[in-house]
Amino acid sequence: MKKTISVLLALMIMCAQFFVSADAEYLSQGLKETQKKYADLISTAIEKSEYEEEQIDKEHIFIVEHTSPMQMCKIEEAIWIYVALPILNSTDIAYAHFDENEYVSEITNFAALKGIENPYGNKLQNYINNNYLSEPTKIKNMWISERVHLFAYNVICNNKEYIIPYYFTDESTFNITNNEECSIELGKAYILDDFLNICEKEAELFAEQRKNEREQEKEENSYTYVDNQGETVTTKPEKHKKGTEEEVTKSGNTKKEEKKLSGGHPSNVLTFEELTGFSNEDIDHIVIRNGVDGIGYSTSYKKVISAIYDTINTKTFNVDMNEDIRGGFGYQILFFDKNNSTHTYTIPHGITKNGITYTTTNEENLENVVANAYNLIANNCSNWSNDYIVQAKDLGFLEDISDILYKEPVTREKFCEIVYNMLMKTVDDGFTVPQTFYFTDTYNAKVSTLYYADIIKGKSERIFAPNDYLTREEAATILYRVAQFMKIDTPQSSYNESVEYYIDKDIISDWAFNPIYYMKEMGIMIGISESLFSPKDTYTTEQAITTIVKLYDKHQTK
C-alpha cells in the first residue's frame, strides 16, 4: 500500500513538473510574437541601457503599450511603448521609453508602472485558465489611461482579441457613476470590442454627470473672476453678467469688492511665459487631447503651435476652482521643449503650479483656437506623417480631394491631384492647363496638365489607369520629374549599379533606377528599410503627402 502511494506521489510530481514546463512554453509563444514585432525597439533598449548586456535577462523581456480606449478603438496605435528589461539576480526592471518609435529615456523601477505584472509569472497563466481561453498567439501588457490608469493583458486566443484587466491604480475613479453596465472585473477576459464599449459608455455617463454638476454649481455658487484691470470681482449667480466688474447687492446698489482666493493667494497676474518659462521659440512640439475621445495628437508644426501660444499667452491668474479638477475637460495641451520638459494646460482647469491653479481670461476664445488645431491635426494617420499632412492641409495641397484615407494605398489619379495642387501654389511660370484631355480613360484636367508638363506618363499610349494603385517605383519616378520641373538641384552623379543600396534592386524597373537613387540621395523618399525598397509595393496616401511636402520644402529653401 505504501509503495502504491509512493508511486502515485511520484507520478503526480512528474505530471506537475510536466504541466509547469508546458505552461511556460504555452505562454512563451505568444510573448515571442510580441517580441518579434518590437525587435528593433528591444535592440535599441538593450544598446541604450545603463546596464551591461550580460546583466539583462533577455529571455524575459516584455512590452508595455501605453494607450487609451479611444486610441485603441480609432487608430490602433499606442501613445508610448515601454520595453521592460528585467535585470538578472535582481528584482529591478529597467523600462526603456519610446515615443513614436524614437528612444526617449530609461527609467529603472518606473513608479508609474508599479502595478505592472511580469507576464512570465503564474498570474497570467491563471487568468488564461480561469477564463477557459485557448493557447495565446500574442501577449502584451497594456497601460490603459484616460481619466484612470488600468493595467491589463491584451491577448489573442483562437483569433479573438481579449483584454484582461488586472490592476487599477485608483479603482474609485472608474465607474463613479455606479452604473452596473460599466463595471470592470479584474481578472476577467473581455472581448476587445466589449471592453471598449464599456469604457466609451462610462466616459459618456461621466461627462454627462460632470456637466450636470457644473450647471448645479453655477446656480448655487457665486462667480469669481478677474476683470481687465486686475480687480477680483464676485457676482451673485442670478445677476452675473460676464465682463462687468461690479457686485450686485440685495439692496440693488453696486460696489467693487476685493477678495482673496482659495488658500489666501493674492490675484497674481502673469503671462503664460512668465508662469512656465516657455517662450514660443522654446516649444519643440505639443500634444492636444480631446476630453471627449481621449486621443492625443502630436505636432511640431510651428504655425499650429504659434496660434495656440499667441492665444494662451494672455493675462492669467489663480482662481478657486470650487470643483474636482480631475473631472472632464474640453482640451488638454501638453507643451514640450527641446529637453522634453513639459507644462500641461487643461481647458477649463488651467495650469497647476506649486499648488495654485491658473487659468486665462479668454477660455472661450482659447478653446476655439485649440479645437481648430485639434481638428487640423486629427488625421487618423501614422505619427511620422502627421506634421506633413497638417502642413499639406494648411497650404491647400489637399483642396478638392475627397475620400482621403491616409493609411490606404493612393491611386494614380489622386497622387497626381496632390502634385498638381502643390505645383499650382508653388511654381510661378511654365505651368499651363491644356485645353484638351490626352488620356482616353480619364477626363481629369489635373492629370492631363501633368502629362503635358512631362511629369507623368500613361500605362500605355493613351491609357492612364487612374484607379490603379501607385507603386513605389512609379512614385519615385514622378517625384523625380516634379523636382526637375521645380528646378530643384538633384545629385550630379547617376545611379551606379556597384553601389549596393537595396538588395531587391534586381526587380526595380530600368526606368526607375535613377529616380529611386536621386530621391534617396535628396532625402525625399527612402526604402521600407535600410536595405529594401520594395519597388512593386503600393504607395500609401500618407507616404505620398509626406514626400510631396518634402519636395515643396526643398523648393522653398533652394
Side-chain angles (χ1 to χ4, degrees):
M1 183 68 179
K2 288 182 179 179
K3 186 176 180 181
T4 303
I5 293 173
S6 298
V7 170
L8 286 172
L9 283 171
L11 285 170
M12 289 171 67
I13 291 170
M14 288 174 62
C15 287
Q17 289 174 339
F18 170 77
F19 284 117
V20 168
S21 174
D23 284 350
E25 181 63 25
Y26 181 73
L27 290 179
S28 68
Q29 294 305 313
L31 290 160
K32 284 176 182 174
E33 284 301 311
T34 304
Q35 286 183 356
K36 284 181 187 176
K37 178 181 176 180
Y38 292 107
D40 291 343
L41 269 60
I42 291 173
S43 296
T44 302
I46 293 173
E47 179 186 343
K48 299 276 190 181
S49 177
E50 294 179 1
Y51 291 89
E52 298 295 331
E53 186 171 345
E54 56 270 19
Q55 293 178 276
I56 297 170
D57 183 1
K58 287 186 279 190
E59 292 297 317
H60 297 96
I61 292 172
F62 61 94
I63 302 297
V64 180
E65 286 192 1
H66 185 190
T67 187
S68 73
M70 294 303 103
Q71 186 102 353
M72 293 163 65
C73 182
K74 292 191 176 182
I75 59 179
E76 300 178 348
E77 288 185 359
I79 300 171
W80 291 312
I81 303 293
Y82 293 92
V83 177
L85 305 174
I87 307 305
L88 289 167
N89 304 316
S90 170
T91 57
D92 289 347
I93 295 180
Y95 290 96
H97 176 200
F98 291 84
D99 184 357
E100 298 183 14
N101 291 331
E102 294 293 326
Y103 178 83
V104 178
S105 63
E106 180 183 76
I107 312 168
T108 302
N109 299 328
F110 188 17
L113 291 174
K114 64 180 180 180
I116 209 77
E117 287 181 3
N118 189 321
Y120 293 93
N122 295 328
K123 288 187 178 180
L124 174 55
Q125 184 62 58
N126 291 336
Y127 299 144
I128 298 289
N129 294 340
N130 293 341
N131 286 280
Y132 305 102
L133 299 181
S134 59
E135 179 177 354
T137 53
K138 276 193 180 178
I139 302 168
K140 61 187 175 186
N141 248 310
M142 304 291 290
W143 175 2
I144 303 171
S145 63
E146 196 152 330
R147 290 177 300 92
V148 298
H149 292 286
L150 168 69
F151 297 135
Y153 287 117
N154 178 211
V155 299
I156 297 178
C157 302
N158 201 20
N159 294 322
K160 287 186 179 180
E161 191 166 2
Y162 296 89
I163 295 290
I164 307 176
Y166 62 80
Y167 182 79
F168 274 111
T169 56
D170 185 0
E171 193 168 359
S172 65
T173 59
F174 190 85
N175 194 21
I176 63 174
T177 58
N178 295 318
N179 187 296
E180 288 186 8
E181 296 179 20
C182 298
S183 61
I184 293 287
E185 182 181 339
L186 298 183
K188 179 180 177 179
Y190 295 85
I191 294 174
L192 178 61
D193 287 345
D194 293 341
F195 175 81
L196 294 175
N197 288 337
I198 290 173
C199 293
E200 185 174 9
K201 184 176 181 63
E202 198 276 338
E204 290 173 355
L205 290 172
F206 175 79
E208 184 64 27
Q209 177 176 306
R210 295 300 297 147
K211 179 181 176 183
N212 294 337
E213 288 174 357
R214 289 194 187 98
E215 290 298 323
Q216 187 175 350
E217 286 170 1
K218 286 180 181 178
E219 293 176 4
E220 295 176 353
N221 301 327
S222 61
Y223 186 89
T224 302
Y225 68 99
V226 172
D227 65 18
N228 295 332
Q229 282 73 44
E231 298 276 1
T232 303
V233 181
T234 302
T235 67
K236 298 294 184 184
E238 66 274 11
K239 299 291 184 180
H240 167 65
K241 290 183 180 179
K242 192 172 182 180
T244 67
E245 53 181 78
E246 296 176 338
E247 178 186 13
V248 181
T249 65
K250 289 183 179 178
S251 63
N253 297 325
T254 60
K255 66 176 182 179
K256 290 183 180 179
E257 179 181 304
E258 291 285 343
K259 179 183 177 182
K260 281 198 171 183
L261 303 176
S262 175
H265 299 296
S267 181
N268 298 323
V269 180
L270 302 167
T271 64
F272 178 78
E273 184 173 356
E274 290 169 340
L275 182 61
T276 64
F278 279 10
S279 67
N280 197 341
E281 292 71 29
D282 292 330
I283 300 171
D284 179 70
H285 66 283
I286 62 171
V287 173
I288 304 177
R289 292 181 63 224
N290 186 334
V292 176
D293 59 25
I295 298 179
Y297 293 101
S298 174
T299 182
S300 299
Y301 190 40
K302 272 298 178 186
K303 191 162 185 178
V304 171
I305 293 173
S306 294
I308 293 174
Y309 185 90
D310 291 344
T311 308
I312 204 173
N313 197 33
T314 57
K315 303 253 174 161
T316 59
F317 56 95
N318 53 309
V319 299
D320 183 359
M321 299 304 295
N322 283 324
E323 63 176 325
D324 179 3
I325 66 170
R326 291 181 309 173
F329 58 86
Y331 291 93
Q332 192 176 66
I333 314 107
L334 288 75
F335 296 88
F336 295 83
D337 69 5
K338 293 176 175 60
N339 297 319
N340 224 30
S341 298
T342 182
H343 282 285
T344 302
Y345 194 101
T346 305
I347 300 173
H349 306 319
I351 294 176
T352 299
K353 184 178 179 182
N354 299 328
I356 307 172
T357 300
Y358 296 80
T359 187
T360 66
T361 53
N362 62 341
E363 289 283 18
E364 184 178 355
N365 183 36
L366 175 61
E367 181 151 10
N368 290 336
V369 171
V370 174
N372 290 336
Y374 183 87
N375 292 331
L376 183 64
I377 67 176
N379 295 314
N380 285 341
C381 61
S382 301
N383 290 332
W384 52 263
S385 67
N386 190 71
D387 278 1
Y388 294 104
I389 292 172
V390 172
Q391 189 175 353
K393 282 183 177 181
D394 189 54
L395 293 169
F397 297 170
L398 306 183
E399 287 177 358
D400 302 322
I401 300 177
S402 59
D403 302 324
I404 299 179
L405 300 173
Y406 295 106
K407 293 185 177 182
E408 297 300 315
V410 67
T411 62
R412 288 166 53 83
E413 183 175 55
K414 193 161 288 185
F415 184 78
C416 289
E417 289 176 330
I418 301 171
V419 168
Y420 174 90
N421 286 352
M422 184 271 285
L423 290 174
M424 285 296 288
K425 296 178 183 298
T426 308
V427 180
D428 295 328
D429 52 15
F431 199 58
T432 55
V433 179
Q435 300 301 309
T436 59
F437 299 107
Y438 178 77
F439 297 107
T440 59
D441 60 346
T442 178
Y443 300 106
N444 188 318
K446 296 179 180 180
V447 172
S448 292
T449 301
L450 295 186
Y451 170 78
Y452 285 112
D454 291 325
I455 291 173
I456 63 166
K457 298 184 184 301
K459 289 279 192 176
S460 61
E461 181 61 28
R462 303 297 293 269
I463 300 299
F464 181 68
N467 296 320
D468 283 5
Y469 291 136
L470 190 75
T471 65
R472 289 177 52 78
E473 63 179 2
E474 287 174 340
T477 303
I478 295 173
L479 290 167
Y480 171 63
R481 294 187 191 129
V482 172
Q484 289 183 312
F485 186 86
M486 297 170 76
K487 297 180 172 59
I488 299 173
D489 290 337
T490 54
Q492 296 301 309
S493 59
S494 61
Y495 176 81
N496 185 335
E497 285 196 64
S498 66
V499 180
E500 296 292 334
Y501 275 100
Y502 299 113
I503 60 175
D504 57 351
K505 64 184 181 65
D506 291 341
I507 62 171
I508 296 175
S509 301
D510 291 343
W511 45 264
F513 270 124
N514 280 344
I516 289 173
Y517 165 73
Y518 286 134
M519 290 301 99
K520 178 182 174 68
E521 290 298 296
M522 293 171 65
I524 302 297
M525 181 179 178
I526 58 176
I528 63 171
S529 70
E530 282 294 320
S531 58
L532 209 60
F533 186 77
S534 297
K536 311 301 182 186
D537 284 0
T538 55
Y539 205 47
T540 66
T541 304
E542 62 184 353
Q543 289 171 335
I545 294 170
T546 297
T547 47
I548 290 168
V549 171
K550 283 183 177 181
L551 273 182
Y552 169 81
D553 289 340
K554 281 274 187 186
H555 178 267
Q556 297 303 103
T557 57
K558 71 175 184 176

